[in-house]
Amino acid sequence: VQLQASGGGMVQVGDSLRLSCASSAINNYDVAWFRQSPGKEREFVASTSFNGGATYLIDDVKGRFSVSRDAAKNAVYLQMTRLKPMDTGVYYCAARTPGSLGTYEFWGQGTLVTVSS
């Protein structure tokens, strides 16, 4: 499964960005977004089940980010609003087999988000 993450960029505090994760097989997998901020370990940010029925966001982004998927476009999105400098980092999308409850098997290449004050 090849995942293509895109949509990153350099924005100001309070701006919005939408990240996309595309793959021809993505509709068959649970998908998550992770980020790695400068000097920190990669962290989980959000996830959506293969059918979009279950989503999860970490507390730091609740109320600002949302995760969704468009089956017709074979894509999963991370909509980010009211961005903060702490949101700066490389964002990765990852996929895993539904119900596996295991580690994410497939990873995209990452897209850089820079939030400046």
Side-chain angles (χ1 to χ4, degrees):
V1 177
Q2 292 189 335
L3 303 174
Q4 182 72 33
S6 62
M10 184 176 295
V11 296
Q12 303 277 328
V13 168
D15 284 351
S16 299
L17 276 177
R18 188 179 76 163
L19 305 184
S20 299
C21 181
S23 169
S24 61
I26 204 167
N27 295 338
N28 299 320
Y29 294 88
D30 299 337
V31 174
W33 288 95
F34 293 77
R35 68 184 176 192
Q36 186 161 20
S37 301
K40 296 184 179 180
E41 294 187 354
R42 188 167 59 193
E43 66 170 341
F44 170 88
V45 176
S47 65
T48 175
S49 59
F50 76 100
N51 59 3
T55 60
Y56 183 80
L57 298 159
I58 60 172
D59 288 345
D60 279 350
V61 306
K62 281 181 180 177
R64 301 188 298 119
F65 292 11
S66 61
V67 59
S68 63
R69 56 195 315 155
D70 186 333
K73 295 185 177 180
N74 294 316
V76 172
Y77 305 107
L78 183 68
Q79 179 68 51
M80 306 186 294
T81 66
R82 292 185 283 140
L83 284 160
K84 303 176 181 180
M86 63 172 284
D87 298 317
T88 293
V90 179
Y91 283 70
Y92 300 89
C93 60
R96 71 179 181 191
T97 303
S100 66
L101 300 180
T103 58
Y104 285 84
E105 308 156 73
F106 309 103
W107 291 81
Q109 83 287 5
T111 185
L112 177 62
V113 173
T114 304
V115 184
S116 60
S117 56

